């Protein structure tokens, strides 16, 4: 017995689907990690230049948070996990 393929209707309208959304990885300030270590983590994990990593680290330090990555949810979750593995506090938010 075989089943015949059936056609699927494409969605119509302006609905935003989960796959279409981007997610931000937010790093939060903490009293534990040294500034030069945070710069090193940003450079190592994301390939930022020293200037980019320093600017993000200063945003974390002065403003309490910085977005270090924006992209699909799976990649954002992986990057948050990698930051946690390096001792930084990171969360996700919808972009």
């Amino acid at each position: 017995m075989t089943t015949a393929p059936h056609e699927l209707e494409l969605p119509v309208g302006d609905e935003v689907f989960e796959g279409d959304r981007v997610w931000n990885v937010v790093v939060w300030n903490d009293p534990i990690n040294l500034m030069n270590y945070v710069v090193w983590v940003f450079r190592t994990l994301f390939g930022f230049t020293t200037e980019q990593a320093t600017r993000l680290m200063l945003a974390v330090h002065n403003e309490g948070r910085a977005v270090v990555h924006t992209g699909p949810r799976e990649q954002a979750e992986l990057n948050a996990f990698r930051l946690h593995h390096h001792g930084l506090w990171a969360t996700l938010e919808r972009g």
Side-chain angles (χ1 to χ4, degrees):
M1 175 184 228
T2 61
T3 58
H6 59 278
E7 293 184 27
L8 298 175
E9 292 182 28
L10 294 174
V12 178
D14 294 342
E15 276 186 68
V16 177
F17 295 94
E18 190 66 32
D20 297 331
R21 291 195 173 122
V22 294
W23 291 79
N24 295 326
V25 178
V26 179
V27 175
W28 298 89
N29 193 26
D30 66 61
I32 308 225
N33 292 298
L34 299 174
M35 292 179 178
N36 61 347
Y37 175 72
V38 174
V39 170
W40 178 84
V41 171
F42 290 169
R43 292 191 68 212
T44 302
L45 296 185
F46 299 103
F48 293 133
T49 65
T50 301
E51 292 78 20
Q52 292 170 318
T54 301
R55 187 170 49 254
L56 288 167
M57 176 276 300
L58 288 173
V60 170
H61 180 72
N62 294 323
E63 300 166 27
R65 61 175 263 154
V67 174
V68 296
H69 170 82
T70 300
R73 183 172 184 153
E74 285 186 9
Q75 186 64 48
E77 288 175 346
L78 176 62
N79 284 328
F81 172 80
R82 294 168 68 205
L83 287 161
H84 294 165
H85 182 74
H86 284 83
L88 299 182
W89 181 25
T91 59
L92 301 181
E93 68 181 19
R94 289 183 184 204

